[in-house]
Amino acid sequence: SVDASGENSITVVPGTNFALTSDRVRRTISRVADETGAAIIIAQAEVLPEIFGAAIGAADAVGARVIFNLAPFQPVAADLLAVCDPLVVNEAEASGLLGWPVRGAADAARAVAELRDRSRSVVVTVGAEGACWSDGRSAGHVAADAVPAVDTTGAGDAFVGAVAVELARGGTL
């Protein structure tokens, strides 16, 4: 459902997400990497922790770059965060991860500074204010273009997909 300002509330029926097994995920990632030479995997937290953990571990084992969108937020083991390149979180997810409220670009920059030692790179999105990032060597803020929000459903997924495409093309954060 979407309110008048374009903010959404999502209802999830997790059926197939909960049908995945860790073994199947590991086998599939290994097979796809062997067949295609896939260098990037996107994982997110809408599946059980053992599933995204298996995906991240399998991707790291085959040398693939792991983009992990910690959405929706749930606690994650430090060893999984350590291989994320980047870890992508929004304000609410960064708040859950850090234990303090992240609101706006200034807080996001502070969150990036705290998170950059936990993963290979990090991006904190701040909606209409854009995103803050660090690749471990440098950091920055990218402003968002002003557009009238109609429905923000899928905005985070589209953002992560665009980041993945740019990184696959050899770009940087």
Side-chain angles (χ1 to χ4, degrees), residues 42-71:
I42 298 172
Q44 51 87 348
E46 204 164 283
V47 294
L48 295 170
E50 59 266 20
I51 301 303
F52 66 71
I56 291 169
D60 188 50
V62 298
R65 185 173 191 163
V66 176
I67 300 172
F68 184 41
N69 185 12
L70 184 52

Side-chain angles (χ1 to χ4, degrees), residues 70-129:
L70 184 52
F73 172 76
Q74 55 184 293
V76 177
D79 63 325
L80 291 180
L81 292 179
V83 301
C84 298
D85 191 16
L87 167 66
V88 181
V89 291
N90 66 19
E91 293 162 296
E93 295 147 4
S95 297
L97 196 54
L98 294 168
W100 53 269
V102 176
R103 292 190 184 91
D107 284 351
R110 184 175 150 221
V112 163
E114 285 191 37
L115 291 171
R116 70 177 162 217
D117 294 332
R118 296 189 197 182
S119 60
R120 293 177 182 159
S121 63
V122 63
V123 175
V124 177
T125 62
V126 284
E129 291 186 62

